[in-house]
Amino acid sequence: MKYAVYTKWAWDNGVPSANDLQSMMRGFRDSKGDAFAPEEVLWWQIDETHHQAIIIYPSKEIADAERTALEAARKDSVQDNKNRMVEEYVGPVVMQLTEL
């Protein structure tokens, strides 16, 4: 069963541009190489200082195994980018229309 991680983030200096966010994620993805575990990562801006994200993993086991790397990346991001997580929810994906 697929597993999802949803987060909402606040940025003290405003949400960076799409190009800056893409560069940030490219760097994280490329640093993981073949070990990059998510099937999908989506970020969207909800206002000038907040964005939300969803990460879809192939399974809870893979999500759990990725957790240490994800937490380290978040810690670095908070220090480097002056952002903070506002909320996080994790759980199994119970329906994905594109997979029906």
Side-chain angles (χ1 to χ4, degrees):
M1 178 177 287
K2 292 183 181 186
Y3 203 70
V5 177
Y6 156 84
T7 54
K8 180 178 179 182
W9 293 83
W11 296 76
D12 292 346
N13 299 323
V15 176
S17 71
N19 285 339
D20 288 342
L21 292 172
Q22 290 169 16
S23 178
M24 184 184 318
M25 283 307 298
R26 244 185 238 109
F28 178 71
R29 179 200 62 198
D30 295 349
S31 73
K32 300 286 291 171
D34 290 340
F36 187 69
E39 287 185 1
E40 187 65 80
V41 178
L42 298 170
W43 290 14
W44 60 97
Q45 185 171 343
I46 56 174
D47 61 31
E48 294 300 315
T49 58
H50 294 87
H51 92 271
Q52 292 174 305
I54 188 147
I55 306 171
I56 305 296
Y57 291 98
S59 69
K60 181 180 187 317
E61 294 76 22
I62 292 172
D64 288 346
E66 178 73 4
R67 194 70 182 181
T68 301
L70 184 61
E71 292 294 334
R74 288 175 174 175
K75 183 178 178 182
D76 290 344
S77 180
V78 167
Q79 291 175 348
D80 296 343
N81 299 306
K82 295 185 178 22
N83 62 3
R84 66 191 177 288
M85 188 180 353
V86 175
E87 59 189 21
E88 176 182 47
Y89 299 98
V90 297
V93 174
V94 296
M95 195 288 299
Q96 183 177 353
L97 184 60
T98 57
E99 297 289 322
L100 295 180

